[in-house]
Amino acid sequence: MRLRAADLGGGWALAALSVAVAAGIAGSQFPWRAQAMVGGAPPAPREFGRSVVMILGSSGTACTATAIGRDLLLTAAHCVQPGADYKLLGSEPGQPPVLKAIVRIERHPQFDIKRLLNHLATADVALIKLAEPLPARVSPALIAGGSETVAVGDSLVVAGYGVTVRGDGRTGGTARVATLVVTGQPGPLQIRLFDPVSKGLSAGLGACAGDSGAPVFRISGTGPAILGVVSWSTGPNLTAGCGGLTGITPLARYRGWIVDAARSLGTPLPP
């Protein structure tokens, strides 16, 4: 696995991991920096990791996605751009990795990559329809209700396949979790998270290369539910990189579209 990255201006980067994979996914590198779960994040416990998978792109990209149905995944729209082919990286424990087919991708119609690259909020949400059901060891996660809101100080859990050391693709590929805290001015278009210890001022826990599209869970009495997906990250003090802020696209505003699109793809979701 080889990692290369190109800087984005403005102090933050999209959180897609740019890789070349010997299994057959190859091609030109993603034209912006990739990010991952840094700061000593531990492997994900089954409560979170059982629904998280990795998506590889023919242009050499990798992102995290979440099973929300037996053959349906949720991820970030910037992870599945037109002009590239995508595969689910799947394998059974102890077996070599295999690439599994994707039959259809639906990006939110209001997603605008130019807005995202200009540091503006957009509908960074997409659904992926698989050619065959996921293995039994992968369990679909629930999406939080459309009325869910967050406040500064709330704790959320991010689970992603990103690297643990920025710039070293060999450290990615394991689902890891970080409990982060809401900061700034959370709203329906964007939520910012940071490590409650470092507070974004020094290097801490946060999304990095490969964590784009990763689920952000809220824990309630009924268990974890997906509140949003990872879209971008910064280094400490808003510098470029990882370990500062983690930016997520909340799903409440787009939940109706997700439900309708899932139904049109033949995988109805629970109400």
Side-chain angles (χ1 to χ4, degrees), residues 8-9 12 14 32 77-78 81-82 109-124:
L8 260 184
W12 66 276
L14 301 186
W32 47 75
H78 79 259
Q81 287 296 289
Q110 294 177 355
F111 173 68
D112 186 340
I113 188 64
K114 292 181 179 179
R115 285 185 59 85
L116 195 61
L117 291 173
N118 285 322
H119 310 173
L120 299 173
T122 186
D124 193 16

Side-chain angles (χ1 to χ4, degrees), residues 55-238:
I55 299 297
L56 302 180
S58 59
S59 57
T61 63
C63 280
T64 300
T66 315
I68 58 173
R70 293 307 320 160
D71 59 357
L72 190 67
L73 307 177
L74 170 72
T75 192
H78 79 259
C79 285
V80 283
Q81 287 296 289
D85 295 322
Y86 296 92
K87 301 287 186 181
L88 168 68
L89 179 61
S91 64
E92 294 299 325
Q95 298 297 314
V98 296
L99 301 179
K100 297 190 175 183
I102 289 169
V103 295
R104 190 170 165 187
I105 294 172
E106 290 288 342
R107 287 168 290 272
H108 194 285
Q110 294 177 355
F111 173 68
D112 186 340
I113 188 64
K114 292 181 179 179
R115 285 185 59 85
L116 195 61
L117 291 173
N118 285 322
H119 310 173
L120 299 173
T122 186
D124 193 16
V125 180
L127 296 182
I128 296 172
K129 177 75 170 183
L130 301 175
E132 60 185 45
L134 291 157
R137 61 183 172 79
V138 180
S139 301
L142 296 176
I143 298 175
S147 61
E148 287 280 346
T149 60
V150 299
V152 171
D154 286 355
S155 292
L156 303 176
V157 177
V158 182
Y161 274 98
V163 298
T164 61
V165 178
R166 182 186 174 202
D168 187 351
R170 295 170 299 177
T171 65
T174 297
R176 297 180 180 275
V177 297
T179 299
L180 304 176
V181 170
V182 177
T183 186
Q185 296 177 322
L189 297 177
Q190 189 177 96
I191 297 172
R192 298 183 175 198
L193 308 176
F194 64 21
D195 184 330
V197 176
S198 63
K199 301 185 185 301
L201 302 177
S202 58
L205 291 166
C208 203
D211 288 322
S212 270
V216 181
F217 293 102
R218 163 170 272 172
I219 311 301
S220 67
T222 58
I226 310 171
L227 191 77
V229 296
V230 171
S231 289
W232 54 266
S233 70
T234 76
N237 292 306
L238 301 181

